[in-house]
Amino acid sequence: MQITLKLDGKAKKIKSKAKTIEELLKERGVCTESVLVRKNSKFVPAEDKIKEKDEIEIIKITSSG
Amino acid sequence: MKCYSCGNSAVIYRKYEGRAWCKNHFSKQLESKVKVTIRKNNLIEKGDKICVALSGGKDSCLVLYLMDKFFGKRPDIEVLALSIDEGIKGYRDESIKKARELCKKIGIPLHLHSFEGEFGKTMDNIVKKDARACTYCGVFRRFVINKKARELGATKLATGHNLDDEIQSVFINNLKGDINRLMRLGPRPIVTKKKFVTRIKPLRDVPERETALYDMINGIDYHDSRCPNAEDSIRFDVRKFINVMEEKYPGTKHIAIKHFDTILPALRKHFSDTGKVKECSNCGEPTSRNLCKVCELLDNIKY
Ligand code: SF4
Ligand SMILES: [Zn+2]
Ligand SMILES: [Zn+2]
C-alpha cells in the first residue's frame, strides 16, 4: 500500500504494510506517546486504520522549557 | 474511531481510560480535569493575583489561556503574564513573539523582563564564557520570575508543568537521591516562605501530548522548537523511558504520580526539608545559603 508520510514538515510517498497508524509508527520506531497524528489533515487516534493514498502526518511533541 | 460520548469522529484515544473523544468532548474534559486539580488542591482562592510564567511554549500558553477562561471575568481574581527574555537569539525572541500574540488576543497584560536588563548579560554572552548554559539559565530564570512576580504583587505563580514533567521530576530526584527536591514536588503549593511567591501547577494532571493537542485544536498558536543550547540531559532519557513504559503499560504515568502523592505526606513527615530560607547577603533575594546561587554564578562570569 502506498501512502504519503509527512514528518518534520517534509512529505514523501512510502510503501507500508501497516493497517493502522499505530503499526506505521511501530514500523518507523516512533513511540506513540511522544507524537500526535493527523490523517488527511485531521487529528485522529493512532489506532485509526490506514487506506491506500492516505496522507499521514506525524507531529513530534517537544517539551517546552 | 468514534467519540465515546457523541459518536463524532475522535481526535484522540486515551489508552489509559480505554475511550476515544471528539474535539469538543476532549476539550471539555481537559478543562474539567484542570478545574478539579485547582479545586481539589485549593490552588486558587478569592483575591488571588495569578501571574502566569509565560514562555510561549505549548504548556505555558495553555495555562494562560485556561486561567483567563476560568477566572478572567471574576472581579475578585486578576490574571497577568510574565515572560523572561534570556537573550537566546533565534529561539527566545521567537517564543516571546508567540507569547505577545496570545496576550494580545485574549487581552492579558504581558510583563517582559530580560537577563540583559537584570544582569547586564544575555545567555548568548554567557554561553561563550561557560559551556554549562542551562545551569545559568535555569537559576537566573527562576530568580527573575520570582522577583518580578513578587514585585507585581502576585499571590500565585502559575507554571506550565504537566503530568509528564512532574513524573519525570519524581524519577530524576529518586535517581539522584535528592530528597529535598523530591519533597517539594506534589499537587499542593508549598506554603509561601518569606520572599517566595507560591507556585502552582494547574496542568499537573494533564499528559503532555494532551496539552499539545488542546492547543492545536483550539487555535492556541505556540512556539515549538528546541533551544540551541539544550543538551541531552538525564530528563531527556527519563522522558523517553517513561513514554516507552506508558505505551507498553497504559496508565503508568497516572499510577506513578498517584503513588507518589500517596507517600508524599509520609516523606515530608519523616524528612524535614533541610533547605532553610535565608536572605542572600549580597542581593537580599531568598536562598538557602549565605550567598545565593545567582550571585555565585554571576561571580564566575565576571568580565
Ligand atoms: S535549554 Fe538551557 S539554555 Fe536553553 S532555555 Fe532551557 S535552560 Fe535555557
Ligand atoms: Zn464527542
Ligand atoms: Zn544574591
Side-chain angles (χ1 to χ4, degrees), chain B residues 143 280-285 287 290-296:
Chain B
F143 177 95
C280 171
S281 58
N282 185 46
C283 70
E285 283 300 299
T287 174
N290 286 327
L291 190 67
C292 79
K293 189 87 191 167
V294 169
C295 289
E296 184 198 305

Side-chain angles (χ1 to χ4, degrees), chain B residues 86 88 91-92 123 133-134 137-138 141 227 229-230:
Chain B
E86 298 97 339
I88 306 169
Y91 173 69
R92 190 54 83 210
M123 270 315 293
C134 299
C137 190
R141 187 187 321 112
C227 172
N229 302 327

